[in-house]
Amino acid sequence: MEFGFPPVAESARRSLAGALQLLSDTEGRFRFDSLPPGDYRALASFDVNEIDEELMEASQAAVIHAQASQTANIDLPVWIAPW
């Protein structure tokens, strides 16, 4: 499963050079290390190769707030693309 994690704020998108994407492990777990504090949108899907603003809106991606030195667990529903 692929996960996307783009920052909501434009300044954070620039500092990270866009959205972060990764594949989960066999248990569906994923980890993003060293995220700057701020709000991020999170999306889990088998159908997504590239993440953009239109996709995040269409999927109604969850907004997650990350704080400095924080570890957080989140449960995400798997989004299935309508195409």
Side-chain angles (χ1 to χ4, degrees):
M1 184 176 321
E2 186 157 342
F3 292 89
F5 215 65
V8 173
E10 179 64 31
S11 60
R13 280 196 296 273
R14 283 195 306 270
S15 72
L16 292 173
L20 301 173
Q21 291 180 250
L22 58 81
L23 295 174
S24 70
D25 65 15
T26 57
E27 300 293 319
R29 293 179 296 230
F30 62 98
R31 180 181 179 131
F32 290 104
D33 291 321
S34 303
L35 288 175
D39 292 331
Y40 295 84
R41 291 190 218 169
L43 171 68
S45 181
F46 291 107
D47 302 327
V48 176
N49 291 323
E50 288 189 36
I51 293 177
D52 60 21
E53 200 64 34
E54 185 178 323
L55 173 69
M56 297 311 278
E57 290 298 322
S59 68
Q60 299 178 351
V63 176
I64 309 299
H65 182 75
Q67 297 177 10
S69 303
Q70 174 191 18
T71 299
N73 293 314
I74 58 173
D75 291 321
L76 294 174
V78 176
W79 182 70
I80 300 170
W83 53 85

